[in-house]
Each structure stands twice: as C-alpha cells, then as structure tokens.
Amino acid sequence: QEVQVAALGAPAEYGGFTGVASNSLIRSGGNRFSGLFETLYQNKSMTGDNITDEVLELNDALTSDKLDYVTDSTAQIGGPIKRDKMWFFTSFQYYQPKESPSGYPPPGTENDGGPSSRKESSPRFIFKPTFRLGTSDQLTGFIEYDNYTVEASGAGSNIAPIATRKQTSPEIAWNANYSKVLSNSSVLDIRYAGFDGYFAREPYNG
C-alpha cells in the first residue's frame, strides 16, 4: 500500500551505515471485494544477443546467456469477512526463471550428473486480516511465506554442473499489532513479530 524510504544523512564512514531506512505498509482489505491478476512471460525466441559473425570468428566458443523462459504471475484479492468489522487481504506470487549464464555448462561437462541450466522456483504468499474490536481499537496482523529453490546455484562458465549446488531457502514471517486510541494525544500500540527460516546449499555429489 505504501513504501517509505528515507536517507539517513550520514557519511559512509559512520558505523552501521546502510544508506537508507525503509518502511513498508502492507495493503488491507475493505468493505468491497477487489482483486488483481497479472502474468509476465518471456522465452528464448523473445531474446536476442549482440554476438556478431565477426566476433565469433575471433572466438568461436563465445556464447551469450541462454534463457529458456521466465514466468512471473501474481494473484491478489481483498474484501470483507464481516462488513465494518473484519477484512482481509491476500496475495500469491509464483516466479520461475530457467536460464544459463554465458559459457555454462563448460564444454565436456554437460552429462556429469549435475543440472545443465539454472532453474529457480519461488512461490510467495501473504495473508493480512484486520479486526475492528471497538470504536477506538483494532487488531491487525499478517503471515508471510516464501521458498526460494534454485537448481545449479553458483553456475558459471568455469563451473561444472556437478560442482554447482541445490539451494533451498524457505522462510516464514508473522506479525500481530493491537492499537487503541486512548485520547486525542495518546495511542497504545502493542506488537509481536517473528521470523523463521534457513538457507541450505546442497552439493549434487555428496
């Protein structure tokens, strides 16, 4: 719904300086249903390169990046669970590219037991409910899950397929927020948040 990005106004030598601070507000549902669906697609027939015949004469082993396909689809819906009392917003995204960097796999290593192209599968899901408890207080929260699975992680022109890794990195985040307006000048805000995940890179050859 809203993204705020603010520069910290400090020199790069300042301890812990990371450039900017950002805050994101997740969209909420309302009293009417609304939704969105979009999909993006690209394949190798839609992609060109700038390797000319003259360049190939000087280096006949030169190859461009190889793109089999990229898909990126998103579906969202939000609306009331109970009018004026409870609302929800949810979104699902599935991102999957299959590609190979220039020179991968190196000649003679195509059938060594590892994947011959880099493939990523990334589903992402978020659900955010909102509950109005009274005229001056409400409870909101969200739960988010994503999982980045990559075949041939670390692929390169000098890396044999068997030497690449399978990357698995699921993660889940959650948040609950209770807010109550106490007066014209004071608000009570209680929050609880959590995160769990791991990042594994497994070899294909033990």
Side-chain angles (χ1 to χ4, degrees):
Q1 178 173 322
E2 181 180 347
V3 177
Q4 302 167 344
V5 181
L8 300 181
E13 295 83 3
Y14 186 80
F17 178 75
T18 56
V20 298
S22 65
N23 181 51
S24 299
L25 180 64
I26 301 169
R27 185 181 299 277
S28 299
N31 272 333
R32 66 181 181 88
F33 286 100
S34 60
L36 173 147
F37 176 77
E38 68 174 12
T39 184
L40 307 174
Y41 177 79
Q42 181 181 353
N43 62 18
K44 56 187 175 183
S45 65
M46 302 176 181
T47 307
D49 62 61
N50 60 355
I51 301 177
T52 64
D53 294 337
E54 291 79 9
V55 172
L56 281 176
E57 288 181 5
L58 300 175
N59 184 357
D60 58 3
L62 181 64
T63 61
S64 63
D65 296 354
K66 290 176 287 185
L67 173 68
D68 291 309
Y69 59 82
V70 177
T71 63
D72 187 357
S73 299
T74 298
Q76 299 178 353
I77 188 171
I81 300 173
K82 184 177 181 181
R83 189 175 179 84
D84 296 329
K85 279 289 187 180
M86 301 170 60
W87 307 271
F88 77 97
F89 171 78
T90 187
S91 178
F92 176 78
Q93 179 188 17
Y94 189 77
Y95 174 68
Q96 186 179 70
K98 184 179 181 182
E99 57 195 346
S100 300
S102 177
Y104 180 86
T109 66
E110 295 87 347
N111 301 309
D112 67 0
S116 58
S117 60
R118 182 187 182 277
K119 182 179 179 181
E120 176 182 340
S121 298
S122 297
R124 303 162 188 170
F125 170 80
I126 190 167
F127 176 73
K128 179 185 179 182
T130 302
F131 305 92
R132 179 171 291 171
L133 304 176
T135 57
S136 61
D137 57 346
Q138 72 174 19
L139 180 65
T140 63
F142 72 81
I143 184 167
E144 185 272 343
Y145 173 80
D146 56 76
N147 187 2
Y148 299 86
T149 302
V150 180
E151 299 281 353
S153 176
S157 61
N158 60 345
I159 305 294
I162 198 67
T164 62
R165 306 291 180 94
K166 180 176 181 178
Q167 174 187 323
T168 306
S169 44
E171 53 190 16
I172 185 170
W174 61 91
N175 174 281
N177 181 198
Y178 172 76
S179 298
K180 182 176 180 63
V181 178
L182 301 176
S183 69
N184 291 337
S185 58
S186 59
V187 176
L188 173 66
D189 198 40
I190 302 173
R191 301 187 181 196
Y192 171 76
F195 173 84
D196 184 69
Y198 65 88
F199 184 92
R201 299 181 71 192
E202 304 287 342
Y204 288 100
N205 195 27

